[in-house]
Amino acid sequence: MSHSRRFIIPERVSLVLLLTVLAVVSKAQTDLNESQVRFEAGVGWTLGTQATEFITDYQGVLGGSASSFGIPVGGRASIHQYVSENLSVGLSGGFFRASIRESYVYDPQPPAVRLGPKQAVIQNIEVTAAPAYAVVDYYAGRRQFTGYFGAGVGLLFGNVLWTEDIQPSQLLGARTGGTRYNASIIAPAFMLRTGVSLGFDGPENARSLNGIRVDVSYAISPLRGTYMSSQFDSFAVPPPERLKGSYAIDPGGVRVEIGFFILLRQRPTATKTNGRM
């Protein structure tokens, strides 16, 4: 049995986060006192998709050898508006995909419970993540080279797709392959980040400035679902009852990103060679 495509939305949390996003955007529009807008884009690596309980049962019950999801490479873009001397607000969005892809022979040994005969298995688990944040950043100063830190709150639009390709067998208790899970999930997302902004040299009255930046962030955005419940349909001997429960797969964690920025000014400023970065 495969799960139909659907959305899972945590109760009340999504509404609160949506109102928060709208409030931040509204504040940026009403409190604006400087006409400077910053665009960012970059590529990043997420260093640890958290799914401890899921991986434990994946190894113990299904015989998989993978101990974690791979390190995904993804992109991000954002737009920010300065609302004070050192403070900016903005909207940020990204996309990446973490996965487990492996092939092995299902043959669990004691103390694992043997739930079927030997079979060759190909596992494909893909977690697609598209986070969207309302972000507040604080910059240490109006310098060409400066540090910054910020925080974001928003939603993670995710999808979990899990398929198994199992070698056919006539032995008693042999499993058949298929789609084990396929659902879209919306989850609350929280993010902290810090980094450095390195501006390029430019003419005094330039209307645009640009440079590179490097930052490190940490995000929490757990996607919860009954990922293993359909395994009951594939085993002749019922697996442990806990597989029917909910598991969390969090594609957040630590992320390292490198990218560029463009700072646009509506009017040239003659007092500084470079504005805030």
Side-chain angles (χ1 to χ4, degrees), residues 27-28 31-36 38 81-89 136-139 141-142 276:
K27 179 175 177 58
D31 293 354
L32 178 62
N33 54 28
E34 293 186 5
S35 54
Q36 296 200 58
R38 191 177 78 253
Q81 173 71 65
Y82 283 91
V83 295
S84 71
E85 181 72 13
N86 302 98
L87 196 67
S88 72
V89 297
V136 178
D137 287 327
Y138 179 82
Y139 287 78
R142 299 183 62 180
R276 67 175 69 81

Side-chain angles (χ1 to χ4, degrees), residues 69-106:
F69 285 82
I71 296 177
V73 180
R76 185 184 70 86
S78 62
I79 180 171
H80 305 256
Q81 173 71 65
Y82 283 91
V83 295
S84 71
E85 181 72 13
N86 302 98
L87 196 67
S88 72
V89 297
L91 297 175
S92 174
F95 178 86
F96 61 93
R97 179 180 290 119
S99 64
I100 291 177
R101 293 188 178 93
E102 65 170 347
S103 59
Y104 58 88
V105 175
Y106 171 79

Side-chain angles (χ1 to χ4, degrees), residues 21-171:
V21 172
L22 294 177
V24 172
V25 175
S26 176
K27 179 175 177 58
Q29 294 174 340
T30 57
D31 293 354
L32 178 62
N33 54 28
E34 293 186 5
S35 54
Q36 296 200 58
V37 178
R38 191 177 78 253
F39 297 92
E40 293 181 355
V43 60
W45 296 260
T46 302
L47 303 183
T49 298
Q50 303 299 312
T52 303
E53 293 182 356
F54 176 82
I55 292 295
T56 297
D57 284 339
Y58 172 79
Q59 293 177 329
V61 178
L62 301 180
S65 61
S67 59
S68 65
F69 285 82
I71 296 177
V73 180
R76 185 184 70 86
S78 62
I79 180 171
H80 305 256
Q81 173 71 65
Y82 283 91
V83 295
S84 71
E85 181 72 13
N86 302 98
L87 196 67
S88 72
V89 297
L91 297 175
S92 174
F95 178 86
F96 61 93
R97 179 180 290 119
S99 64
I100 291 177
R101 293 188 178 93
E102 65 170 347
S103 59
Y104 58 88
V105 175
Y106 171 79
D107 186 24
Q109 302 297 321
V113 178
R114 186 185 294 276
L115 300 176
K118 274 189 177 184
Q119 289 180 274
V121 180
I122 298 176
Q123 299 280 8
N124 182 41
I125 307 173
E126 292 186 351
V127 179
T128 301
Y133 296 102
V135 182
V136 178
D137 287 327
Y138 179 82
Y139 287 78
R142 299 183 62 180
R143 300 190 300 270
Q144 183 176 359
F145 309 123
T146 186
Y148 61 88
F149 61 88
V153 60
L155 296 171
L156 179 73
F157 300 88
N159 186 84
V160 178
L161 172 62
W162 183 5
T163 61
E164 284 185 302
D165 185 4
I166 302 178
Q167 180 185 35
S169 173
Q170 301 300 318
L171 296 175

Side-chain angles (χ1 to χ4, degrees), residues 197-217:
S197 179
L198 309 173
F200 299 145
D201 292 333
E204 184 176 354
N205 294 328
R207 291 181 179 270
S208 67
L209 301 169
N210 52 70
I212 62 174
R213 58 181 182 78
V214 178
D215 71 45
V216 178
S217 62

